[in-house]
Amino acid sequence: MKKLPYGIFAGICAMLVFFLTLAFVGLYIVFAAIANQTHSDFSMFQNWWQILIFIIDILSIGGFIYFLIMFIKRERNKHNENI
């Protein structure tokens, strides 16, 4: 487990969180504008792909936190071994 590149995994998860959150907010703005013009209701969880974006975003947040903690723990252990 010590050989895994936790920093790279944390960075990948951070990019996923950024872009998926941006997509989620962008879709919300577009669908709200369409619903406003057509006088209809909308939900961000009407289609399977909207739900998938949300689920992957939440899992990416959890992965980012986990990999960041593991990266910090490994770096602290390296620092303590060098002292």
Side-chain angles (χ1 to χ4, degrees):
M1 283 292 231
K2 291 187 178 194
K3 298 288 185 185
L4 290 177
Y6 292 118
I8 293 173
F9 292 152
I12 290 170
C13 287
M15 286 188 282
L16 281 172
V17 167
F18 175 75
F19 288 116
L20 289 172
T21 304
L22 190 67
F24 193 77
V25 171
L27 288 170
Y28 180 82
I29 291 169
V30 169
F31 285 157
I34 292 171
N36 225 0
Q37 292 296 319
T38 59
H39 302 293
S40 62
D41 294 331
F42 81 101
S43 171
M44 283 304 294
F45 304 107
Q46 288 178 344
N47 298 317
W48 65 270
W49 53 272
Q50 293 168 320
I51 297 169
L52 185 64
I53 287 174
F54 182 74
I55 290 171
I56 294 174
D57 194 20
I58 296 299
L59 291 175
S60 296
I61 290 170
F64 171 70
I65 292 169
Y66 171 75
F67 289 128
L68 186 64
I69 289 171
M70 294 303 288
F71 178 74
I72 291 170
K73 284 176 69 174
R74 188 179 65 194
E75 292 300 315
R76 279 190 184 166
N77 286 342
K78 281 183 185 178
H79 179 69
N80 288 339
E81 289 174 1
N82 291 335
I83 293 179

